[in-house]
């Protein structure tokens, strides 16, 4: 199934064939399938079992634009130049989570143990925040424990927290005019976008250094310099370590936008497209998953896998390879593939990016694995990830990640004490804050908006 999904790379909310592959597999394995979760056509849930606790396995299957690449090669060669590709390994991500759900379901059946297993097919992880919409729709309300993973250079427990983020479009409306004959009659929306960006760039010095703001001009008002641009649009991504800090930073960005509109006598409207919360890790679940990984050990890579991984590594820079080791705070070693399990080290590390697993982690104790599916040094969102996405080494890394997730889920089903400890840890880490969805009330999943690149 991972190979099938690799063959049909689909982006953000457009994952029709990929969701179909998951639905067919869930039905073949005896899961009852619910589609259109949270009114998202490519989101689905498969459930099996009766009574007992509910264990959720989260899967993803969205691809990335512009990363088309032939499988098994160690040089850059797109299948179709500019087309989509599985540059984040989500073809493996959904498949391993479904495999883990199936293994646990089979165990429940064989042993007659009460308990329910759910596979959550979550689209649009890359920028679409589908899980945040699914959380808002109540899809996780009765879940006891959530488990997921991500393809990586290494195998082990994922201990990083991630940033909360929000995508906002700012649309400025001015008045068109002949830019030479009657410029005084024009009010430039493009000027407003430029001034907003300048204002935000000045604000950077006076915001917390662990926050991030990026922007992309979606519409510069046309191609005619001799027309005062009556309309312009800029998309912002605002990130902060925690949700409350994010919400206050968004308000400051909005003030800058209003200031730009005031200066240019234009009007501004802001639309929040999507947002995700920061990730909350869970100590009791990470401890259990660490024990599981230590007993499973690294994937059974063979000589052929190492030869292919070496070829991929020859396309990487020494900086790429060093970054992989230093991100995990490990001493660099000259191995093409991870031959060890990540040790249990300090957990309060922040990864630069964001994930919509964050929203699930605010409402359900959540734990995630890393699976070793890539030559050491491979960076995500590159052609090298796509090239390795159907390889035997990726399959091995994927299957061992499924084992780690299934065994962690099994421990959670068997131990009420573990589930209670996980919930107590989540409450402690929320520090009395209630989950506030970063998505404004009434906002719908941006299924259509995301199709416009
Ligand atoms: Zn990813």
């Amino acid at each position: 199934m991972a190979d099938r999904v690799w063959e049909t790379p689909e982006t953000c909310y457009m994952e029709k064939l990929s969701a179909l592959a998951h639905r067919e597999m869930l039905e073949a394995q005896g899961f009852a399938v619910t589609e259109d979760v949270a009114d998202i056509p490519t989101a689905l849930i498969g459930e099996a079992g009766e009574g007992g606790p509910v264990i959720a396995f989260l899967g993803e299957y969205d691809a990335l634009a512009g990363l088309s690449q032939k499988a098994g090669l160690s040089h850059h060669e797109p299948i179709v130049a500019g087309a989509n590709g599985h540059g984040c390994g989500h073809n493996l991500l959904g498949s391993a989570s479904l495999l883990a759900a199936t293994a646990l379901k089979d165990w429940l059946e064989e042993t007659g143990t009460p308990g329910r297993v759910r596979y959550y097919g979550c689209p649009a992880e890359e920028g679409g925040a589908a899980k945040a919409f699914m959380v808002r729709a109540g899809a996780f309300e009765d879940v006891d424990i959530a488990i997921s993973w991500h393809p990586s250079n290494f195998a082990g427990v994922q201990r990083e927290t991630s940033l909360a983020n929000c995508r906002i479009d700012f649309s400025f409306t001015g008045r068109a005019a002949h830019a030479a004959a009657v410029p005084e009659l024009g009010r430039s929306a493009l000027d407003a976008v430029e001034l907003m960006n300048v204002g935000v760039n000045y604000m950077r010095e006076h915001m917390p250094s662990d926050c991030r703001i990026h922007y992309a001009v979606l519409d510069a008002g046309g191609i005619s310099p001799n027309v005062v641009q009556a309309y312009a649009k800029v998309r912002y991504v605002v990130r902060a370590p925690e949700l409350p800090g994010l919400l206050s930073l968004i308000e400051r960005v909005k003030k800058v936008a209003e200031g730009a509109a005031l200066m240019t006598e234009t009007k501004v409207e802001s639309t929040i497209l999507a947002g995700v919360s920061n990730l909350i890790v869970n100590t009791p679940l990470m401890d259990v998953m660490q024990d599981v990984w230590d007993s499973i050990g690294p994937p059974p890579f063979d000589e052929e896998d190492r030869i292919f991984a070496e070829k991929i590594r020859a396309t990487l820079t020494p900086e790429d390879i060093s970054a992989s080791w230093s991100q995990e705070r490990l001493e660099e070693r000259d191995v093409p593939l991870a031959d060890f399990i990540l040790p249990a080290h300090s957990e309060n590390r922040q990864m630069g990016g964001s994930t919509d697993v964050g929203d699930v982690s605010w409402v359900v104790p959540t734990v995630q694995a890393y699976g070793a599916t890539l030559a050491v040094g491979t960076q995500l969102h590159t052609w090298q990830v796509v090239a390795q996405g159907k390889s035997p080494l990726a399959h091995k890394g994927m299957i061992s990640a499924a084992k780690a997730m299934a065994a962690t889920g099994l421990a959670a089903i068997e131990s009420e004490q573990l589930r209670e400890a996980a919930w107590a840890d989540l409450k402690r880490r929320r520090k009395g804050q209630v989950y506030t969805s970063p998505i404004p009330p009434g906002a719908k999943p941006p299924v259509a908006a995301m199709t416009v690149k």
Side-chain angles (χ1 to χ4, degrees), residues 60 88 90 125-126 150 381:
E60 297 164 11
C88 206
H90 293 183
E125 192 279 326
E126 303 283 0
H150 203 283
H381 297 200

Side-chain angles (χ1 to χ4, degrees), residues 431-443:
K431 296 175 234 157
Q433 297 161 24
V434 271
Y435 172 69
T436 317
S437 179
I439 301 160

Side-chain angles (χ1 to χ4, degrees), residues 47-54 113-117:
E47 181 175 319
E50 267 177 52
V54 178
T113 308
R116 278 165 290 162
V117 178

